């Protein structure tokens, strides 16, 4: 111990911790905390050699913090902020001579510190492979890897999906049948017993109020571990057999001088995989948390932690895994969820700055007469929403800041028409345009739509070597081409040369557009359809084909405003929230198992009238292989037993791209009557002749996904129908089915879906190249707004996070976003 204890932060920390434990009652020291702080500062201020530390200390701990004048919550937050600051000083070794024996860092003194010769840096510890955790061998490491746990950091951030509340301790006389309860008892007897022809363990345990029997089926080895007169903790559901209460297969722990893990508390329940067991995984994670959580360095700036009342990061991780109670767990979740949303916001803001400020855009010189002529020649009028969005795009294109805009609209709202007008604006300004779709069939549909639109205002149309020329409404004509993976090599080479030489104005295609050998002459606008199907790298690659071209991305998945601002903070959002007049509302009905034959008869009747139908097979969670098996089995059953006289096709995610394209094309060309599919059809083909969508086990799908399925029909002139088949759905499932039955507006459904669904489920962030959300609930609007506000404040202050106090945050931001790109 130092001979000068007042010169050490140990005393300050001890007093603050004691005050916190007392409920912040200002009685941890004689005379109150204000007097103690004043004395401590007087004795220690002279030891502060580093100006940066002195300034931080003065801001955080003024001569008098007026602690006595604060309410308990304000006192708690102030104490947490001071403790966090002290922890950071120790973690970063930036004490500037504060406590004796701690070396100042290069960030404070300007002199590089010598590397430690003993243990690796704390962040390095977290990046060690998971098998450094005691008890994790090679075989167990492989199983953990299947869950995405490859490093110590992965394990610390592998959070429980729920908790068993074993904290309610009862005496044996208080036990109630059918409830989860915990008892502390002595073991009177334990033996191997034959229970139902299975060697099992039976024990009699007791406390001061009575005795109770406990049995563990098929686990005879436990009898050897239960020694007479040992104290045991049992947690689980109490059953009754012949009017006698009994614990069946309860969780158990021998009460030793250690913290309880499996009983007597909120017990974490983790996702599992084959060969991994709850008790085993819980023990390993507890070991990892106890050993490594203290090595986690808090990257959030102190002022944000104080303003938002957030836990220290290592405390949050500990309480996310093994909380003392639900209140502690909620505080931990709030901190970790804030981190996810805050880092997400900083990332998308940084991406927008990179795209819009690092290099100038290309200002279009627009003469809108030709655009107005095209619009007036259309066989329909633009809706007010389409006109509003068109103006927003025009305003963007006329600036020298490159457009980054998300165009969202329900199925059939007319997004492609607006995109076509934007592409024409690029061509009119002597730039090239590119439109990329996720599948060949969608690319072909866009090509056909644009062909139809441009033909309406053309006086002459010609085609040579795959390049279509539309003449009569632009001075030099309009040249459009389609490039996909199945384009013949000879034709590809010709198109590559033509687009490089500037002989193609608008190129429509798939991933083929981002191949290395595709070079544009003067790319000015990139339009990407169903953008969440593309990763960040793919979108960036296409954009890099030109000198920072304007970017317009489209989606038919309606996204609520709060979610759009979170996931697409790098994009301005335009919404077509109005459908063209005369479009039929799709009649939607939730039916039970008893109506299955009626549904099949209805499909048969529609096919007899020349229509087509979709059948979507049930979603089987966490297993695409099982999804495929279900689809194949359903296809075989419907083909042989229900519709043997009709032509059926099968579509699932394990098929090769070429096989999928062939099936979808056959269905589009009416070579098939019914298409049996997994959810891969969610975003796909435009088949005006399809009038029936039957969704099996509809309660297993989210509202937005069901709405996308429904959007596959209703694209022609005939009335269309969506039948949702569900047997005994849960209360949650019933609520979703009632909503989809009653609501046709995709945006209202999206808001409802966001309200109902859990963390990260509404929209697959991994597909969009964004960091995964493990703890954040996208429906938690207040926390979402707080994270966005703090991110914007910080971004305005230091957009590149270049200041020394933001280096930890900058490092974490880069790590999170780099990981999301690698996973994408």
């Amino acid at each position: 111990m130092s001979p000068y204890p007042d010169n050490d932060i140990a005393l300050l920390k001890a007093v603050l911790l004691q005050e916190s434990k007392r409920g912040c009652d200002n009685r941890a020291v004689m005379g109150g905390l204000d007097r103690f702080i004043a004395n401590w500062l007087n004795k220690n201020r002279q030891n502060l050699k580093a100006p940066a530390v002195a300034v931080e200390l003065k801001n955080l701990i003024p001569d008098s913090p007026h602690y006595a004048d604060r309410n308990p919550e304000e006192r708690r937050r102030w104490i947490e902020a001071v403790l966090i600051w002290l922890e950071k000083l120790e973690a970063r070794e930036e004490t500037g001579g504060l406590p004796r024996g701690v070396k100042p860092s290069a960030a404070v003194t300007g002199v590089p510190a010598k590397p430690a010769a003993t243990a690796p840096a704390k962040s390095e510890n977290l990046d060690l492979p998971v098998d450094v955790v005691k008890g994790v061998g090679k075989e167990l490491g492989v199983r953990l890897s299947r869950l995405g746990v490859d490093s110590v950091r992965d394990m610390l951030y592998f959070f429980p999906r729920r908790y068993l509340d074993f904290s309610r301790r009862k005496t044996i006389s208080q036990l109630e049948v059918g409830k989860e309860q915990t008892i502390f008892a002595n073991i009177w007897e334990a033996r191997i017993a034959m229970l139902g022809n299975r060697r099992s363990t039976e024990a009699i345990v007791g406390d001061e109020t009575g005795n109770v029997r406990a049995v563990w089926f098929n686990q005879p080895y436990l009898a050897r571990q239960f020694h007479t007169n040992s104290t045991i903790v049992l947690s689980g559901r109490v059953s009754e057999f012949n009017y006698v209460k009994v614990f069946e297969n309860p969780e158990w722990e021998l009460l030793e001088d250690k913290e309880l893990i499996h009983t007597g508390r909120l017990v974490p329940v983790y996702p599992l995989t084959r060969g991994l067991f709850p008790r085993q995984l819980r023990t390993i994670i507890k070991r990892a948390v106890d050993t490594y959580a203290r090595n986690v360095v808090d990257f959030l700036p102190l002022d944000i932690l104080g303003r938002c009342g957030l836990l220290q990061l290592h405390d949050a991780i500990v309480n996310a895994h093994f909380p003392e109670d639900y209140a502690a767990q909620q505080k931990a979740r709030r901190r970790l969820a804030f981190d996810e949303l805050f880092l997400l916001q900083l990332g998308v803001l940084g991406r927008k700055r990179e795209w819009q400020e690092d290099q100038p855009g290309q200002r279009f010189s627009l003469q809108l007469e030709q655009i107005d002529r095209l619009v007036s020649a259309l066989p329909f009028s633009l809706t007010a929403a389409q006109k509003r969005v068109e103006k927003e795009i025009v305003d963007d294109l006329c600036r020298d800041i490159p457009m980054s805009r998300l165009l969202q609209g329900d199925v059939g709202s007319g997004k492609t028409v607006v995109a076509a007008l934007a592409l024409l604006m690029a061509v009119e300004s002597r730039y090239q345009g590119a439109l990329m779709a996720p599948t060949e069939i969608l690319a072909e549909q866009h090509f056909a739509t644009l062909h139809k639109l441009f033909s309406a205002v053309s006086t002459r149309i010609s085609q040579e070597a795959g390049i279509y020329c539309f003449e009569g409404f632009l001075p030099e004509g309009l040249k459009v081409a389609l490039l996909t993976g199945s384009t013949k090599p000879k034709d590809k080479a010709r198109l590559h040369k033509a687009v490089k030489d500037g002989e193609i104005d608008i190129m429509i295609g798939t991933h083929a557009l981002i191949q290395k050998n595709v070079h544009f002459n003067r790319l000015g606008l990139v339009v990407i359809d169903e953008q969440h199907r593309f990763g960040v790298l793919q979108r960036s690659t296409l954009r890099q084909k030109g000198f920072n071209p304007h970017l317009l991305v489209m989606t038919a998945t309606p996204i609520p405003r709060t979610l759009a601002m979170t996931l697409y903070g790098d994009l301005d959002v335009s919404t077509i929230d109005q459908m063209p007049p005369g479009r039929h509302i799709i009649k939607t009905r939730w039916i039970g198992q008893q109506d299955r034959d009626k549904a099949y008869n209805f499909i048969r009747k529609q096919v007899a009238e020349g229509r087509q139908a979709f059948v979507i097979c049930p979603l089987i969670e966490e297993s695409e292989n099982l999804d495929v098996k279900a689809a194949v089995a359903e296809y075989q059953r419907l083909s042989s037993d229900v519709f043997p006289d009709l032509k059926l096709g099968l579509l699932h995610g394990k098929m090769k791209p070429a096989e999928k394209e062939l099936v979808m094309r056959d269905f589009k060309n009416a070579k098939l009557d019914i298409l049996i599919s997994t959810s891969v059809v969610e975003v796909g083909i435009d088949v005006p002749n399809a009038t029936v969508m039957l969704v099996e086990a509809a309660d297993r799908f989210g509202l937005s996904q069901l709405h996308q399925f429904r959007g596959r029909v209703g694209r022609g002139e005939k009335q269309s129908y969506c039948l949702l088949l569900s047997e005994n759905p849960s209360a949650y499932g019933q609520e979703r089915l009632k909503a989809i039955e009653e609501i046709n507006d995709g945006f209202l459904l999206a808001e409802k879906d966001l309200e109902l669904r859990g963390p990260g489920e509404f929209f697959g962030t991994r597909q969009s190249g964004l960091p995964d959300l493990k703890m954040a609930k996208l429906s938690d609007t207040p926390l979402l707004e707080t994270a966005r506000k703090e991110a914007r404040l910080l971004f305005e202050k230091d957009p590149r996070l270049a200041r020394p106090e933001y280096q930890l945050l900058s490092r974490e931001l880069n790590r999170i976003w780099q990981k999301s790109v690698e996973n994408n």
Side-chain angles (χ1 to χ4, degrees), residues 355 358-364 400-403 431-432 520-526 541-551:
W355 283 0
D358 281 7
Q359 53 181 314
Q362 303 171 80
R363 185 197 300 262
F364 284 7
D400 56 10
I401 296 174
M403 175 173 71
Y431 288 98
Q432 292 170 299
F520 286 81
N521 182 275
R522 201 164 183 246
L523 183 61
L525 172 65
V526 173
T541 302
L542 180 56
R543 188 165 192 182
Q544 289 162 10
K545 296 289 184 181
F547 182 76
N548 216 19
H550 296 283
L551 177 69

Side-chain angles (χ1 to χ4, degrees), residues 338-498:
F338 177 89
D339 287 356
E340 291 176 351
L341 297 171
F342 181 67
L343 292 169
L344 179 61
Q345 287 297 287
L346 281 179
V348 294
L349 289 172
R351 193 157 66 184
K352 187 170 187 177
R353 176 190 56 75
E354 179 186 331
W355 283 0
Q356 293 196 331
E357 297 177 17
D358 281 7
Q359 53 181 314
Q362 303 171 80
R363 185 197 300 262
F364 284 7
S365 300
L366 295 177
Q367 301 295 325
L368 296 178
E369 292 83 1
Q370 301 296 341
I371 307 300
D372 293 339
R373 182 181 166 193
L374 174 65
V375 171
S376 61
L378 294 173
F380 52 83
S381 299
L382 295 184
T383 63
Q386 286 174 309
K387 292 177 182 177
R388 182 188 70 244
V389 170
E390 181 193 3
K391 183 179 184 306
E392 291 169 350
I393 292 172
V394 168
D395 291 343
D396 281 354
L397 296 178
C398 290
R399 296 190 301 163
D400 56 10
I401 296 174
M403 175 173 71
S404 286
R405 186 166 290 277
L406 171 69
L407 172 57
Q408 61 169 343
D410 220 337
V411 173
S413 60
K415 297 182 298 299
T416 306
V417 174
V418 173
L421 296 177
L423 289 166
L424 273 181
M425 294 174 199
V427 176
E428 192 184 36
S429 299
R430 299 189 176 278
Y431 288 98
Q432 292 170 299
L435 193 163
M436 187 163 76
T439 65
E440 288 193 13
I441 197 83
L442 272 177
E444 290 174 3
Q445 284 174 191
H446 283 308
F447 180 80
T449 301
L450 265 59
H451 189 287
K452 184 177 180 181
L453 287 173
F454 299 151
S455 297
V457 292
S458 300
T459 56
R460 182 171 180 270
I461 303 169
S462 59
Q463 187 268 133
E464 183 180 354
I467 302 173
Y468 288 75
C469 184
F470 301 87
E471 300 177 34
F473 69 100
L474 287 182
E476 298 179 14
L478 174 69
K479 295 178 180 178
V480 183
L482 174 68
L483 178 65
T484 67
S486 61
T487 303
K488 295 178 181 179
K490 184 178 179 182
D491 295 334
K492 273 186 185 177
R494 200 160 39 228
L495 292 176
H496 290 168
K497 184 178 186 307

Side-chain angles (χ1 to χ4, degrees), residues 745-774:
D745 186 304
F747 291 96
L748 291 179
L749 278 174
E751 293 286 356
K752 186 72 174 176
D753 203 14
L754 181 57
E755 174 190 325
L756 292 174
R757 301 184 76 176
E761 289 180 11
F762 176 87
F763 198 86
T765 51
R766 173 161 294 187
Q767 280 185 316
S768 62
L770 301 170
D772 286 337
L773 300 179
K774 297 178 181 177

Side-chain angles (χ1 to χ4, degrees), residues 548-560:
N548 216 19
H550 296 283
L551 177 69
L552 178 68
V553 294
M554 303 192 297
T555 179
T557 304
I559 306 168

